[in-house]
């Protein structure tokens, strides 16, 4: 009986933490101007985050590759407009952004 109660409590806590983490990752995207060129579900200057997630879905190292791309910037993957590099973004924050994007930005 105690285990069931503990598990129920854990479920409630995780239910509260997951939205907070997603909001933090969205705030990180806003803070680093990602949302100036990208939207979750539609193309702006750059591709929609959901389209990025689809493109990387089959790659086993998707998070690492996307984080590297975020930091290095690039051109030609999604059209003629280059994505500027984010060299001051920490590796940890680039990884958080990549994970958030790959989850469909939810």
């Amino acid at each position: 009986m105690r285990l069931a109660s503990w598990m129920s409590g854990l479920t409630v806590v995780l239910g509260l933490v997951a939205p907070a983490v997603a909001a933090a990752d969205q705030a990180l995207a806003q803070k680093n101007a990602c949302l100036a060129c990208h939207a979750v579900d539609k193309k702006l200057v750059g591709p929609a985050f959901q389209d990025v997630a689809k493109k990387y879905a089959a790659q086993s190292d998707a998070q690492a590759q996307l984080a590297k791309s975020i930091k290095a910037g690039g051109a030609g993957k999604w059209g003629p407009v280059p994505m500027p590099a984010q060299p001051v973004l920490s590796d940890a924050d680039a990884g958080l952004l990549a994970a958030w994007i790959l989850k469909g930005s939810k």
Side-chain angles (χ1 to χ4, degrees):
M1 192 72 160
R2 286 184 183 173
L3 179 60
S5 177
W6 182 81
M7 291 297 288
S8 177
L10 180 61
T11 301
V12 169
V13 169
L14 291 177
L16 296 173
V17 171
V21 170
D25 295 338
Q26 183 172 2
L28 186 59
Q30 289 172 326
K31 175 185 169 192
N32 289 286
C34 304
L35 299 175
C37 295
H38 299 277
V40 172
D41 59 353
K42 64 183 175 194
K43 178 180 177 16
L44 295 178
V45 175
F49 287 142
Q50 291 176 349
D51 292 336
V52 174
K54 288 176 192 173
K55 182 174 184 169
Y56 283 86
Q59 293 185 19
S60 62
D61 62 344
Q63 185 174 341
Q65 288 300 316
L66 185 54
K68 181 179 175 183
S69 182
I70 290 168
K71 286 195 66 157
K77 291 181 187 177
W78 296 93
V81 179
M83 184 176 90
Q86 298 287 332
V88 297
L89 188 66
S90 72
D91 290 343
D93 283 351
L96 286 173
L97 284 170
W100 178 70
I101 292 166
L102 293 169
K103 289 185 299 188
S105 306
K106 296 178 184 174

